[in-house]
Amino acid sequence: MSTPRTPVAPSSAAPLRLRRLAVAFLPLMLAACALDGETPADPAKTLVMPSKWDATSTQGGVADGTTKTAAVTTAAAAWPSTDWWSGFNSPELTQLLAQARADNPDLGAAAARIAQAEAQAEIAGAPLWPSVQLGLGSTRSGSRNMKGSAARGLASVPASDYASNVHQASLSASYEIDFWGKNRASRDSAQFSLDASRFDNETVALSLSSNVASTYFQILALRDRLAVARGNLENAEHVLSLIEARVAAGADSQLDLVQQKSIVATQRAAVPALEQQERTQVNALAILLGRAPEGFTVQARGLADVQPPALGTGVPAELLTRRPDIRYAEAQLAAAGADITVARTQMLPSVTLNASTGVEAATLAHLVNAPTLLFSLGGNLAQSLFSGGRLEGQVRQAEGRHRELAEDYRKAALSALSDVESAVYSIDRYQDQYSLQKDAVAQSQRAFELAEDRYKGGLTDLQTLLDTQRTLLSTQDTLAQVKLSRVQASVSLFKALGGGWQDDGSSFLSQAKAAR
């Protein structure tokens, strides 16, 4: 007959284990409160952009001095293309820009920075994956006991020897559980920085294209001014010959002759100065192309065939996506926002899992045929209790950096608006000035011809001829400079609008914004 069992009270072991588990994870639950903080606002949403341009005009470029064409409009369809420089009707400029984009050192350095940022993004994303290591090792160890009688002068002899070999092969892995998103935020920060490098490369490329075009047009304008200076020198020498004839005939004085010789000398001295400026600009253009100045030259002789193309400005808000420098500032700001998350999560506990397995044997043959299996599983929880304010300071530093970059982003957007407004206004004013200056040159030329004819006939004095001559020289040189300002204003507008560049949506920043 079996003996009845005595009832046993329910064990309290399970609730005790639950309480211990709760106590163990209490720091994790409390630490989550540290993530609570002010989420940085998206500056693109808080920035107020105007609805239209103040300076945009539907009247623009002067085609022939009398007829105006629509050069600046608000039509989005007329937004500049990526090869905006082709609109200036200069095949040579297109060729030079292609060479600059292939060989310019600044652009090459920007490309190298992209490669560095790509590598850094890979490094930052590595902690999201487990770390796995393979190990192979061999150890030989042993011992030797020595005994003898030194007092009797006997040599020490070995008493016993022991030696062993151990061969091991192991595979280990560790993984930090990304409870708080620290590793993801580090990866995002690196990806945003990579986007910033790519946008910076586009900014450098846009600045390079603008500088090449501007320098090229300066060379052509200087050649126009040289042609004017040389023509005016010939004109002054012709007037000098007239005065010399009249002085020989006793109709004019030596003072009149000396005055005109002074004008001729002044005009002759102006030519070398303009030639030196032209050579300086040619050398500067060569450097932009990434080549030595020796043997380099420009074929075009002037701005006669260059016409500013028609261009649309779109609406102001489009600048936020069509200017690479603004996207650069936005990407830097996004990276700083991710850095805030990284800094905050540094204050939270970290949980790491570890696992390893391997085999061990005394000989290599046994390592393959009859090894001893080894394994271990474990994990650890680490929480910083005192850092002397270092972690808190890192959070404040990251937040301050974000505020700084938010202001930089706002400044970049406002500067872009100002660039467009100034460029459009300049185009309108230079078009008007160009038309008026052409008329001034025509009138000055006519006045000089009349004064010369009257002077030959003795109907006017030399001073009148000299005055009309000086006016003609001044108006012709001014016209050459206004022609340069007119095309450079168009270059400035292309640059202010982003030069036709637009983010294609492949950047991490664009994808992150689309996900939100």
Side-chain angles (χ1 to χ4, degrees):
M1 185 176 63
S2 61
T3 304
R5 295 183 179 181
T6 305
V8 180
S11 173
S12 61
L16 179 59
R17 285 195 298 269
L18 292 176
R19 286 195 296 269
R20 289 176 178 175
L21 188 61
V23 171
F25 280 90
L26 182 61
L28 298 178
M29 294 181 288
L30 295 177
C33 299
L35 285 177
D36 294 335
E38 182 180 355
T39 301
D42 185 353
K45 297 180 179 178
T46 59
L47 185 65
V48 178
M49 299 291 287
S51 59
K52 63 180 181 178
W53 304 106
D54 288 340
T56 300
S57 170
T58 57
Q59 298 296 319
V62 178
D64 57 5
T66 57
T67 304
K68 288 189 175 183
T69 60
V72 181
T73 70
T74 57
W79 193 271
S81 62
T82 53
D83 59 341
W84 53 267
W85 48 83
S86 62
F88 287 97
N89 192 33
S90 174
E92 185 178 33
L93 175 60
T94 300
Q95 179 183 0
L96 293 174
L97 282 166
Q99 184 176 352
R101 285 179 171 258
D103 299 328
N104 179 264
D106 292 334
L107 206 55
R113 288 193 293 271
I114 291 178
Q116 297 176 54
E118 287 175 343
Q120 184 59 42
E122 292 181 6
I123 295 172
L128 290 171
W129 299 91
S131 175
V132 181
Q133 292 181 326
L134 174 65
L136 297 173
S138 293
T139 304
R140 180 174 177 82
S141 60
S143 64
R144 173 172 292 183
N145 293 328
M146 307 296 296
K147 69 179 181 178
S149 177
R152 292 183 297 173
L154 299 177
S156 298
V157 294
S160 62
D161 291 333
Y162 171 77
S164 65
N165 297 323
V166 176
H167 304 284
Q168 291 180 327
S170 63
L171 183 67
S172 61
S174 64
Y175 177 67
E176 180 182 358
I177 302 178
D178 197 20
F179 273 121
W180 323 114
K182 177 183 69 174
N183 296 334
R184 290 191 300 273
S186 297
R187 178 207 59 187
D188 291 350
S189 176
Q191 290 285 356
F192 289 136
S193 296
L194 172 58
D195 286 340
S197 296
R198 289 171 176 161
F199 294 140
D200 180 61
N201 179 72
E202 295 296 336
T203 301
V204 172
L206 177 59
S207 297
L208 172 64
S209 300
S210 301
N211 290 338
V212 169
S214 178
T215 305
Y216 176 75
F217 291 143
Q218 287 183 54
I219 294 171
L220 302 192
L222 284 167
R223 291 180 176 179
D224 282 342
R225 294 181 65 191
L226 271 169
V228 169
R230 289 171 179 143
N232 287 331
L233 176 59
E234 293 179 2
N235 196 16
E237 289 173 340
H238 172 67
V239 172
L240 177 61
S241 64
L242 294 178
I243 296 175
E244 287 175 338
R246 288 178 61 87
V247 170
D252 283 337
S253 65
Q254 287 292 328
L255 178 60
D256 297 333
L257 180 62
V258 171
Q259 284 181 320
Q260 185 60 20
K261 284 184 176 180
S262 175
I263 292 176
V264 170
T266 300
Q267 284 299 113
R268 187 174 288 120
V271 172
L274 290 173
E275 290 175 337
Q276 188 272 333
Q277 293 180 45
E278 180 203 7
R279 187 66 248 178
T280 298
Q281 292 300 322
V282 169
N283 293 344
L285 180 58
I287 298 302
L288 289 174
L289 301 184
R291 57 172 296 175
E294 288 76 15
F296 175 74
T297 188
V298 170
Q299 299 302 320
R301 307 313 305 169
L303 290 171
D305 296 329
V306 176
Q307 289 294 335
L311 181 63
T313 59
V315 296
E318 290 179 311
L319 287 181
L320 297 181
T321 57
R322 300 201 183 209
R323 287 251 313 208
D325 58 334
I326 295 180
R327 300 307 305 274
Y328 168 79
E330 185 180 5
Q332 279 198 317
L333 182 60
D339 288 339
I340 293 178
T341 301
V342 174
R344 288 174 177 172
T345 54
Q346 294 286 358
M347 304 173 63
L348 306 179
S350 62
V351 178
T352 305
L353 302 179
N354 299 287
S356 66
T357 184
V359 291
E360 179 181 281
T363 65
L364 292 176
H366 287 165
L367 187 64
V368 176
N369 299 324
T372 301
L373 180 63
L374 306 174
F375 71 90
S376 69
L377 295 173
N380 63 75
L381 172 66
Q383 168 66 56
S384 175
L385 299 180
F386 179 74
S387 63
R390 176 177 59 87
L391 298 179
E392 294 82 356
Q394 289 175 349
V395 172
R396 292 195 300 271
Q397 181 185 39
E399 292 174 344
R401 175 65 173 164
H402 186 274
R403 289 193 297 271
E404 175 190 358
L405 292 177
E407 293 301 319
D408 288 345
Y409 174 83
R410 190 166 68 94
K411 178 181 177 181
L414 295 177
S415 297
L417 295 174
S418 176
D419 291 343
V420 175
E421 290 283 4
S422 297
V424 172
Y425 185 83
S426 296
I427 287 177
D428 279 346
R429 299 289 75 77
Y430 283 130
Q431 302 294 7
D432 293 341
Q433 186 179 358
Y434 178 73
S435 179
L436 295 173
Q437 192 64 33
K438 287 189 68 174
D439 184 63
V441 169
Q443 297 300 327
S444 298
Q445 182 69 42
R446 178 60 178 159
F448 173 75
E449 292 172 353
L450 291 175
E452 183 180 12
D453 290 341
R454 291 176 64 83
Y455 177 73
K456 290 178 182 179
L459 299 178
T460 188
D461 58 3
L462 178 62
Q463 188 60 47
T464 300
L465 177 62
L466 296 181
D467 288 342
T468 56
Q469 179 183 226
R470 279 191 291 267
T471 300
L472 177 61
L473 299 180
S474 176
T475 55
Q476 287 179 328
D477 188 67
T478 300
L479 178 62
Q481 296 183 59
V482 172
K483 288 169 65 177
L484 172 62
S485 298
R486 187 171 66 122
V487 294
Q488 284 188 327
S490 295
V491 172
S492 297
L493 182 55
F494 277 119
K495 181 180 179 182
L497 293 174
W501 176 88
Q502 189 173 15
D503 184 15
D504 59 6
S506 62
S507 69
F508 190 79
L509 177 61
S510 298
Q511 294 172 4
K513 292 177 69 176
R516 292 198 298 268

